[in-house]
Amino acid sequence: MLPATYVVFDLETTGLDPEKDHIIEIGAIKIKDGRVVEEMSSLVHLEQALPPAITRLTGIEPEMLKTAPPLKKVLDDFLGFISTYTLVSHNANFDIAFLNRAFGRSLPNPVLDTLELARILWPRLTSYSLESLSTELSLTPRRRHRALADAQVTVELLLALWQRTLGLPWPLLMQLNTLNLGQDNALASWLQAAARLNKDKPWEAPDEVATGKSEESPLPENGQKEPLSFEPANIAALLEPGGLIASFYPNYEYRPQQVEVLTAVAGAFAEGSCLAVEAGTGIGKSLAYLLPAIIWAKFTGKRVAVATHTINLQEQLWQKDIPRLQAVLPFKFGAALLKGRSHYLCRRKYGQWLDTMAVQSEAARRFAMRLLVWLTETETGDWDEIKLLPQEEQWRHYLAAHTETCRGEKCPWYHNGCFLMSSRRRAEASHILILNHSLLMEDAKLHNQLLPPYPYLIIDEAHHIEEVATEHLGVSCGHKELSLLVQATAQSSLLRQIELLAQRLAGEEARQLKQGLAKVLQVNAQLAETLQKLNFVLQPIFQEQTAWRLAPPLTEFAIWEEFLTAAGNLEFYLDELQNKLNDLICLTERIGALPLSHELEGIVQQARESRKNLSSILDAESEETVTWVEARPQGEWLLRAAPLLAGPMLAELIYSRKEAVILTSATLTVGGEFAYFRERSGLGNLPSERLRFLKKPSPFNYDKQVFLGVVTDLPNPGHLSDADYAAALAPALQEIITLWGKQTLILFTSHRLLQATYRLILAPLEEKGYTVLAQGIDGNRSHLLTEFCRHKKAVLLGANSFWEGVDLPGDLLSCILIPRLPFPAPNHPLTAARLEYLASRGQDPFLNLSLPQASIRLAQGFGRLIRRATDKGAIIILDKRLISRRYGKYFLSSLPIQNFYVGQLEELIARLDAWREP
């Protein structure tokens, strides 16, 4: 039984802006004693044109609104229906904003937001949309996107939320009430009612979720005590038809290529060599390297680390492959998933933050409530378990386990409950470490002092290794980092504690503390002002291009002096902030408040690190380093310095320090050769006798499964602006998409071209019943892929990250369109510097860098289409340079297909139509 009478309601509107859009339907349901007692539903008369997208979404036709009652009549009925009851809505801020606008005043009724409540009570869900929650909680399937239907689903959600709340232990409910600060609102009434009902229920305190203790013993120094052989032939036999793996894996297929990769990996471990393996899609390379890695680690007692680039692959290894092998192999082995420090919540800082809730914002308190529930569930304290809103990132940054603020063994959580130490102890007891490229690079920079020793290393998705090394072996300093420092200083719970300490003291000590605190806040405000100044200085140059080298022509512009002045001021105020914080540290130490002193030192170290990075970028003069400034999202800027050549550093910091290294990917070769990868990855810096290379093509029959077409009658995209090329491109895209009639992915190399094309094809395709989604416009990558899979006729325009890591088998994706060959932007500072370097050595920059990079990128995009042996689909390349230029054959030789079709658009569409017929 619900604790009060509620009116659950939903609105349908013509858009998202209450200032200019209109309500077109209201649906409401009254619930008393947990039962529906009354409903109301009405369309609303609309004078304006109804957007076609709203009709497709809701099924509401313009004619239906012409005869509907006027808004005033519907609002009067709604006002009588809701009386003084508590209103309930999913994403209530949206609906209440429209109602307040329509009424011309704020409604006095208390409001309970089921979206907000769901985020608190189920903190680990990936989506909180009404549809996603309906699926997750097995509610009545949502019918049409209509007001009353959505209100009915929200009623079911409200009841589920009440049951979830009643299931929380009384102490947790009381803590949540405390965080809500006892406010007289709908959430407070909800929590207080649940606490009253739960007060007398028996409750047993749970064991500490993450104790920081390992269940397994550390690896023995000299191998396993039990006899275990390491024979590649015996390991390969596990993959034979009827073998151990086949008996366990559903729908197992024996692949000779997989056995060859496994044998090569096993040989590399035994020989102590560096092996580069190109394993085509469908070979099953993860299993091919995990089996020998696990058995080698058991045989030798030495760890093997597996580093991936994408989260998708990391999750596949950790959530699927490792558990399956732990279940099927006739011996036990340990595995650990490792992430960088900032991925873990610091429990000590969280506890201190809770003490400051009285002065925190309502949004901060809601976030603290969510974390409180999460801490009763999580075993890892990994921030990736919870989906954060953009405004919550500042609190995540403050509460993360940073090196600068870690107290080590002095921390009360260190030996029992520290999430970071718990992950490290599990790693010490594990045979296999799963990490990402970033953590691999951070560990290499610290000379392998960050992670437990792992003499053997597998780098999957190794075609990214140069770019990852470039990013992590360089330094950066930007608006976001410095803004977080400013926020951490201004909103720090430490400063609040110092303020409270000063209030408890008297005399000179209190005066000095208050004065020291005021000086810190004053310098911090000047630092924030200087940040904004530098932002203002840089904005004009970002109108022309989004990245500039700190070299001519930028240094010849009048703006350069303003930039240097603002950057110099940043250095000055970072120094001043350190000085004032150090003064405050001395004061707290003198008083005896040593824990506060230690925390202040953490902020000082952050400021010191930012100052050091900023100076190293501005003062860099080495010819081996490239420095530049680039525009980031939300109008931010980032200063960067990176090594001109990352390969030699990879050889020195990683390959030469490991007993064996395996680098693998579906795309390592260019034109069938490893020469480009060998040079760029740093393998060429190793003795040739230590190197091994293997290329195994995909088992898929691409010539039967794929229609590859090249359109020849569109203009050369290299000769047109993005706007002009989009105008030429849009009609061709619409024709192909309309003919195909299924899920289509369009891969772009430029966000400007993507946006220009989106604007041109959106309305025509929507009129034909297609859902059109675009990266950077309709949501993030995860949301776009989810929405794309929901519809049978969807078009997704993606750039950058969509060229790889997209795994949509079968009908989820059956057509890929590529408007332009994916050459790297030659004006990007790092690319430009590398092109200049190659030219200075007498090498052709285009043939030795631009073309190989583009070929690998195209092969990655091609690989998105066929993910299973039963898949079938089309790839159309609309850039005629693939045929008209001599380098086109270079691209084609990097694709796993022999047959392709070339022709003008009309001819190609006819061939495509004939090909797709069964």
Side-chain angles (χ1 to χ4, degrees):
M1 182 181 297
L2 291 172
T5 299
Y6 296 96
V7 173
V8 182
F9 77 100
D10 185 72
L11 307 179
E12 297 301 331
T13 64
T14 59
L16 304 178
D17 187 352
E19 295 299 320
K20 64 179 183 180
D21 292 310
H22 305 275
I23 298 172
I24 57 173
E25 187 178 35
I26 295 180
I29 301 172
K30 191 177 298 178
I31 311 175
K32 186 176 182 180
D33 298 329
R35 293 180 295 105
V36 174
V37 295
E38 191 176 358
E39 294 182 354
M40 76 158 283
S41 176
S42 178
L43 293 170
V44 178
H45 182 75
L46 182 69
E47 294 288 347
Q48 295 80 6
L50 183 65
I54 300 300
T55 297
R56 283 192 297 276
L57 180 68
T58 64
I60 298 174
E61 300 288 345
E63 294 76 16
M64 299 166 63
L65 300 180
K66 290 181 180 178
T67 57
L71 178 62
K72 185 179 185 310
K73 171 68 168 60
V74 177
L75 290 178
D76 287 343
D77 292 344
F78 180 72
L79 203 57
F81 187 84
I82 65 175
S83 183
T84 60
Y85 299 125
T86 297
L87 298 177
V88 178
S89 177
H90 198 69
N91 192 15
N93 287 339
F94 174 87
D95 291 319
I96 292 297
F98 270 91
L99 285 180
N100 290 341
R101 173 72 174 172
F103 279 112
R105 60 184 174 87
S106 296
L107 290 173
N109 302 60
V111 178
L112 186 66
D113 188 350
T114 53
L115 173 61
E116 177 183 76
L117 194 52
R119 284 176 55 81
I120 293 171
L121 297 178
W122 291 299
R124 294 194 291 180
L125 297 183
T126 57
S127 173
Y128 294 90
S129 69
L130 193 57
E131 185 168 19
S132 296
L133 288 168
S134 299
T135 302
E136 182 73 28
L137 303 174
S138 301
L139 307 180
T140 301
R142 191 180 188 182
R143 298 191 297 275
R144 194 88 193 202
H145 205 304
R146 294 291 297 271
L148 187 59
D150 285 354
Q152 289 166 343
V153 177
T154 306
V155 167
E156 292 189 49
L157 174 59
L158 185 69
L159 294 171
L161 287 165
W162 180 239
Q163 292 304 312
R164 166 65 172 161
T165 309
L166 289 178
L168 299 180
W170 181 78
L172 177 57
L173 286 169
M174 295 305 294
Q175 285 181 289
L176 293 174
N177 266 304
T178 301
L179 285 174
N180 199 46
L181 296 181
Q183 294 190 31
D184 184 20
N185 56 28
L187 179 59
S189 300
W190 177 278
L191 293 172
Q192 289 163 9
R196 285 194 298 271
L197 291 172
N198 272 13
K199 186 174 183 180
D200 298 325
K201 286 185 180 180
W203 177 78
E204 192 172 313
D207 295 333
E208 186 62 56
V209 175
T211 63
K213 298 177 181 177
S214 174
E215 296 179 358
E216 299 189 44
S217 300
L219 290 175
E221 293 296 327
N222 299 311
Q224 295 294 316
K225 293 179 180 179
E226 68 269 21
L228 182 68
S229 65
F230 185 81
E231 294 292 337
N234 293 339
I235 303 173
L238 296 172
L239 298 176
E240 293 289 336
L244 190 63
I245 299 299
S247 65
F248 185 82
Y249 277 68
N251 305 317
Y252 176 77
E253 294 180 16
Y254 175 76
R255 305 178 186 96
Q257 301 94 328
Q258 187 180 44
V259 174
E260 292 182 67
V261 172
L262 180 150
T263 304
V265 172
F269 284 133
E271 296 173 0
S273 57
C274 285
L275 170 68
V277 182
E278 180 175 277
T281 305
I283 284 179
K285 60 180 169 61
S286 300
L287 192 59
Y289 63 64
L290 281 176
L291 275 171
I294 292 165
I295 295 174
W296 181 257
K298 288 287 287 188
F299 177 69
T300 63
K302 297 180 179 179
R303 293 179 196 85
V304 180
V306 181
T308 74
H309 182 67
T310 62
I311 293 175
N312 286 346
L313 179 55
Q314 191 178 63
E315 289 180 347
Q316 175 195 313
L317 294 175
W318 182 245
Q319 297 176 7
K320 295 181 180 179
D321 295 331
I322 292 292
R324 284 177 176 176
L325 291 174
Q326 285 176 325
V328 71
L329 290 175
F331 54 82
K332 291 183 177 181
F333 71 91
L337 177 66
L338 289 170
K339 298 183 180 182
R341 277 180 169 270
S342 62
H343 280 271
Y344 299 97
L345 171 76
C346 175
R347 303 182 86 153
R348 180 182 54 78
K349 287 200 287 187
Y350 177 66
Q352 291 176 338
W353 190 56
L354 289 183
D355 292 338
T356 69
M357 283 298 110
V359 295
Q360 297 288 353
S361 65
E362 182 177 354
R365 294 195 297 273
R366 295 287 185 268
F367 184 60
M369 294 169 72
R370 190 177 181 212
L371 293 185
L372 196 61
V373 176
W374 176 54
L375 282 171
T376 67
E377 302 174 351
T378 182
E379 296 180 0
T380 66
D382 183 353
W383 286 109
D384 290 342
E385 289 183 357
I386 57 177
K387 186 177 181 181
L388 300 179
L389 298 173
Q391 60 267 32
E392 294 171 340
E393 287 292 341
Q394 58 175 310
W395 301 311
R396 166 185 168 155
H397 177 79
Y398 173 71
L399 297 172
H402 297 294
T403 303
E404 297 84 359
T405 56
C406 181
R407 297 180 62 185
E409 294 192 11
K410 295 179 180 179
C411 175
W413 294 99
Y414 181 83
H415 294 288
N416 190 3
C418 173
F419 291 121
L420 176 65
M421 292 309 301
S422 178
S423 72
R424 296 300 183 258
R425 292 185 182 111
R426 283 193 296 269
E428 289 171 358
S430 296
H431 302 87
I432 303 295
L433 306 182
I434 307 295
L435 51 141
N436 60 24
H437 289 180
S438 298
L439 184 55
L440 172 66
M441 293 302 161
E442 291 302 314
D443 188 49
K445 283 171 63 175
L446 294 173
H447 303 288
N448 304 119
Q449 296 179 11
L450 187 60
L451 303 177
Y454 51 99
Y456 299 91
L457 172 64
I458 297 169
I459 303 175
D460 204 342
E461 301 175 305
H463 59 285
H464 282 292
I465 196 64
E466 182 193 15
E467 67 182 77
V468 174
T470 298
E471 179 177 354
H472 287 274
L473 299 179
V475 296
S476 65
C477 183
H479 185 275
K480 181 177 181 180
E481 169 193 333
L482 294 172
S483 294
L484 287 172
L485 173 64
V486 168
Q487 291 173 9
T489 304
Q491 302 175 10
S492 173
S493 63
L494 293 170
L495 302 188
R496 175 57 177 163
Q497 291 176 63
I498 292 171
E499 184 179 342
L500 294 174
L501 177 61
Q503 291 174 4
R504 292 197 298 269
L505 296 173
E508 184 62 17
E509 287 182 338
R511 188 191 68 79
Q512 288 181 351
L513 269 181
K514 291 178 181 178
Q515 188 179 63
L517 185 60
K519 288 180 179 179
V520 167
L521 294 175
Q522 180 183 7
V523 172
N524 197 54
Q526 291 169 319
L527 177 61
E529 184 179 339
T530 306
L531 263 180
Q532 294 306 316
K533 171 65 175 177
L534 187 52
N535 225 33
F536 177 78
V537 168
L538 289 172
Q539 289 312 306
I541 65 170
F542 290 147
Q543 302 301 318
E544 297 183 39
Q545 61 189 53
T546 56
W548 293 83
R549 286 172 72 180
L550 303 186
L554 179 61
T555 56
E556 298 168 350
F557 294 163
I559 203 173
W560 178 247
E561 291 301 323
E562 294 181 63
F563 168 79
L564 289 179
T565 300
N569 288 338
L570 266 187
E571 292 180 299
F572 173 79
Y573 286 121
L574 284 169
D575 285 336
E576 281 294 288
L577 182 60
Q578 292 176 65
N579 293 335
K580 302 308 178 189
L581 284 168
N582 281 325
D583 291 343
L584 202 53
I585 288 171
C586 292
L587 287 171
T588 53
E589 287 178 344
R590 192 184 311 153
I591 294 168
L594 295 182
L596 292 180
S597 301
H598 190 89
E599 295 300 319
L600 288 170
E601 287 171 0
I603 301 179
V604 171
Q605 289 182 39
Q606 292 180 49
R608 185 182 299 123
E609 186 70 16
S610 295
R611 169 67 161 87
K612 183 182 75 173
N613 290 343
L614 177 61
S615 298
S616 66
I617 296 168
L618 295 174
D619 299 339
E621 295 180 356
S622 170
E623 294 181 356
E624 298 176 353
T625 302
V626 184
T627 58
W628 72 95
V629 61
E630 63 185 48
R632 306 293 286 178
Q634 285 80 50
E636 298 172 349
W637 53 266
L638 181 68
L639 280 164
R640 296 186 62 185
L644 179 64
L645 301 176
M649 301 178 74
L650 283 167
E652 177 188 350
L653 295 175
I654 295 180
Y655 311 146
S656 63
R657 298 181 182 182
K658 302 301 174 188
E659 294 185 31
V661 179
I662 289 88
L663 301 101
T664 185
S665 168
T667 53
L668 291 184
T669 64
V670 178
E673 302 293 334
F674 281 95
Y676 173 77
F677 180 73
R678 175 175 175 160
E679 177 66 24
R680 303 305 305 184
S681 68
L683 289 178
N685 294 75
L686 298 178
S688 58
E689 62 269 16
R690 197 183 169 205
L691 300 180
R692 302 288 184 272
F693 297 93
L694 177 66
K695 173 179 168 61
K696 300 309 298 180
S698 169
F700 299 149
N701 190 337
Y702 286 102
D703 286 306
K704 286 188 177 180
Q705 292 176 255
V706 176
F707 177 97
L708 175 60
V710 184
V711 178
T712 59
D713 56 339
L714 286 178
N716 184 334
H719 296 163
L720 297 176
S721 67
D722 287 329
D724 290 339
Y725 187 53
L729 187 66
L733 294 175
Q734 293 172 48
E735 282 195 57
I736 298 170
I737 292 167
T738 303
L739 169 74
W740 190 253
K742 298 178 183 178
Q743 305 293 80
T744 299
L745 172 65
I746 311 177
L747 294 174
F748 290 86
T749 58
S750 157
H751 283 279
R752 284 195 299 267
L753 179 60
L754 182 154
Q755 292 166 5
T757 305
Y758 173 81
R759 289 191 291 267
L760 292 172
I761 68 173
L762 176 62
L765 288 178
E766 282 190 336
E767 289 177 2
K768 295 177 181 179
Y770 287 87
T771 298
V772 183
L773 305 164
Q775 183 180 1
I777 298 174
D778 296 306
N780 60 31
R781 186 177 187 272
S782 176
H783 172 76
L784 290 173
L785 289 173
T786 300
E787 287 299 302
F788 183 69
C789 293
R790 285 183 57 237
H791 302 276
K792 292 184 178 180
K793 292 174 64 176
V795 179
L796 173 55
L797 290 75
N800 302 326
S801 61
F802 283 89
W803 285 81
E804 58 184 290
V806 174
D807 188 4
L808 301 174
D811 290 338
L812 292 176
L813 176 60
S814 59
C815 182
I816 294 176
L817 306 180
I818 299 176
R820 187 158 62 189
L821 293 173
F823 288 109
N827 60 348
H828 185 277
L830 189 58
T831 302
R834 287 175 171 169
L835 292 172
E836 291 172 9
Y837 171 78
L838 290 171
S840 70
R841 292 170 58 89
Q843 300 180 42
D844 187 318
F846 179 76
L847 293 178
N848 287 280
L849 186 65
S850 299
L851 187 55
Q853 284 187 357
S855 296
I856 290 174
R857 192 70 160 167
L858 183 65
Q860 282 288 332
F862 183 95
R864 297 314 94 215
L865 185 65
I866 304 300
R867 309 301 298 174
R868 306 290 185 271
T870 55
D871 290 353
K872 187 177 181 181
I875 297 180
I876 309 296
I877 299 173
L878 297 102
D879 189 338
K880 67 179 182 180
R881 292 177 296 178
L882 189 64
I883 300 301
S884 64
R885 297 296 178 89
R886 286 193 301 174
Y887 58 69
K889 61 184 180 181
Y890 200 78
F891 282 102
L892 292 169
S893 66
S894 296
L895 300 179
I897 190 170
Q898 299 297 316
N899 300 325
F900 56 94
Y901 303 87
V902 179
Q904 295 186 354
L905 180 64
E906 185 177 348
E907 176 188 357
L908 205 65
I909 285 179
R911 287 189 177 184
L912 176 61
D913 193 23
W915 180 86
R916 68 179 184 146
E917 293 299 323

